[in-house]
Amino acid sequence: MPKIMGRDTVSVIIPALNEAEAIVACIEAARDGYGDGEVEIVVVDGGSTDGTPELIPEGARLVRAPRGRGVQMNRGAEAARGEVLLFCHADTRLPAGWREAVLEVLSDPEVSGGGFQRLFEPARGFVHVINRIKIRDNWRLLHGDRAQFMSRATFEVVGGFPEIPLMEDVEMGRLLHEQGRIQMVPMPLQVVSSSRRLLERGAFRQYCLTGWYRFKYFHLGATPEDIARAYRSSREEQVEPEAGTSEGRARHRGGWAAAGLLLLSFLAPLVWPLIAGQTLIDTGRLQAFIRGTGPWAPLVFAAIYAAVSPIPGVAPLL
């Protein structure tokens, strides 16, 4: 990997679509305390209808592109001038000191890219549980809302983001993994992301569905187009309302049976030693599971959840 220097300019590329409520806070957090030679802000609008482009403050660049995060982020990278590229969702705020942390991570020649731990706000209900989960250096979990970053040289080697309807962040994680090692910025630095998607559909339901979509993508051959049809936000529906919204809502209904199965998946590392005849509970294994090092059980039961949720008459949990 190319050597990154502390004086390098970091370009923060922000794909936006109907982000009038969040875009100013995102930009202010990204450039807080930094000069023009240290941080460049490039906002790439994908056809907002809520006045987002008019809110871009002076000093930030505005680029227009067709809708789609992969397309928008690639256009932003083309327009950017920085030696380091960081891709930040418009509803995400970078922490104080983020630039130094990114450059420190990329100073290791074995590292191809990375991201941040993530905190959702506002935190209500199951969002509190999600906020306790901190991931390891795993490309499969390097999602876009974790502010992916890499050197421009690495971005160009991998060919940028795949211009697909969804999962472009996962595919970028895969490409970075092929080039070197993924490393997360150490705690306590973490980005703050909006919990609106979680709260719109129910945090528990959305968590299960996200696990199910990832399971389908990695193991069942689902395409980005398949997942994109089910994974629409309220912002996207402002631009292009979904036909058959009752069907869309039905896909996200959850039930108590699915909740029980998901709970069992979390308790599995605790219960299994007892079933196997062990007299002691492996608390270390349980702690590792909670930290996200054993994600197999939630994925399996998320699949069961997704299979159960469309059943008529099943009352939603959240």
Side-chain angles (χ1 to χ4, degrees):
M1 298 296 105
K3 186 174 180 58
I4 299 299
M5 308 297 290
R7 63 178 180 274
D8 287 343
T9 299
V10 182
S11 293
V12 179
I13 298 162
I14 306 171
L17 177 67
N18 288 334
E19 292 288 2
E21 294 183 2
I23 190 65
V24 174
C26 175
I27 294 172
E28 289 179 348
R31 67 182 184 184
D32 185 29
Y34 298 117
D36 293 340
E38 296 173 306
V39 171
E40 174 193 34
I41 308 294
V42 180
V43 178
V44 189
D45 188 74
S48 295
T49 59
D50 67 346
T52 296
E54 289 72 32
L55 296 175
I56 306 304
E58 185 179 353
R61 299 176 59 192
L62 174 64
V63 176
R64 298 182 187 272
R67 194 181 84 184
R69 277 206 178 107
V71 177
Q72 289 173 243
M73 291 188 290
N74 285 341
R75 300 302 178 272
E78 292 172 2
R81 55 181 174 80
E83 296 84 0
V84 175
L85 305 177
L86 183 148
F87 299 89
C88 183
H89 287 187
D91 62 354
T92 297
R93 302 191 305 276
L94 293 167
W98 66 266
R99 179 181 179 274
E100 292 78 8
V102 166
L103 295 178
E104 176 65 23
V105 168
L106 293 179
S107 67
D108 184 340
E110 300 298 319
V111 172
S112 56
F116 289 78
Q117 301 294 347
R118 175 192 60 203
L119 185 72
F120 284 114
E121 289 185 354
R124 295 198 293 268
F126 195 71
V127 177
H128 288 288
V129 178
I130 298 172
N131 281 343
R132 295 180 64 86
I133 301 172
K134 305 304 175 187
I135 70 168
R136 305 182 74 183
D137 302 330
N138 187 327
W139 68 266
R140 293 177 179 84
L141 302 175
L142 186 62
H143 298 163
D145 56 5
R146 297 184 183 277
Q148 293 176 326
F149 57 81
M150 66 217 71
S151 69
R152 174 180 291 279
T154 299
F155 181 85
E156 292 175 350
V157 166
V158 302
F161 285 91
E163 297 186 356
I164 52 182
L166 205 64
M167 311 301 281
E168 76 290 330
D169 51 352
V170 173
E171 288 305 319
M172 175 55 78
R174 189 198 305 269
L175 294 169
L176 292 175
H177 173 69
E178 293 171 354
Q179 294 296 315
R181 182 164 56 86
I182 300 296
Q183 183 174 322
M184 304 302 292
V185 170
M187 290 287 286
L189 292 189
Q190 54 187 339
V191 298
V192 177
S193 293
S194 171
S195 60
R196 63 186 170 190
R197 181 187 288 271
L198 293 168
L199 298 177
E200 279 176 1
R201 299 176 175 178
F204 181 80
R205 284 203 303 274
Q206 187 61 44
Y207 178 77
C208 294
L209 286 165
T210 299
W212 170 232
Y213 296 150
R214 293 179 65 250
F215 184 82
K216 287 174 64 179
Y217 188 69
F218 285 123
H219 304 292
L220 301 181
T223 66
E225 290 76 14
D226 294 333
I227 298 173
R229 279 192 289 270
Y231 200 78
R232 294 170 61 91
S233 69
S234 57
R235 295 171 298 106
E236 292 167 321
E237 289 172 359
Q238 290 175 28
V239 177
E240 185 181 331
E242 182 180 18
T245 54
S246 61
E247 294 181 7
R249 287 192 295 269
R251 283 199 301 267
H252 302 298
R253 290 199 187 101
W256 288 101
L261 290 172
L262 188 70
L263 177 61
L264 179 60
S265 77
F266 281 108
L267 292 178
L270 178 62
V271 175
W272 176 250
L274 300 179
I275 297 174
Q278 298 181 19
T279 57
L280 296 177
I281 294 173
D282 186 357
T283 55
R285 184 181 177 194
L286 176 62
Q287 291 171 353
F289 184 88
I290 293 173
R291 292 191 185 105
T293 57
W296 56 271
L299 289 176
V300 171
F301 286 100
I304 297 173
Y305 174 95
V308 173
S309 61
I311 297 176
V314 177
L317 173 66
L318 293 174

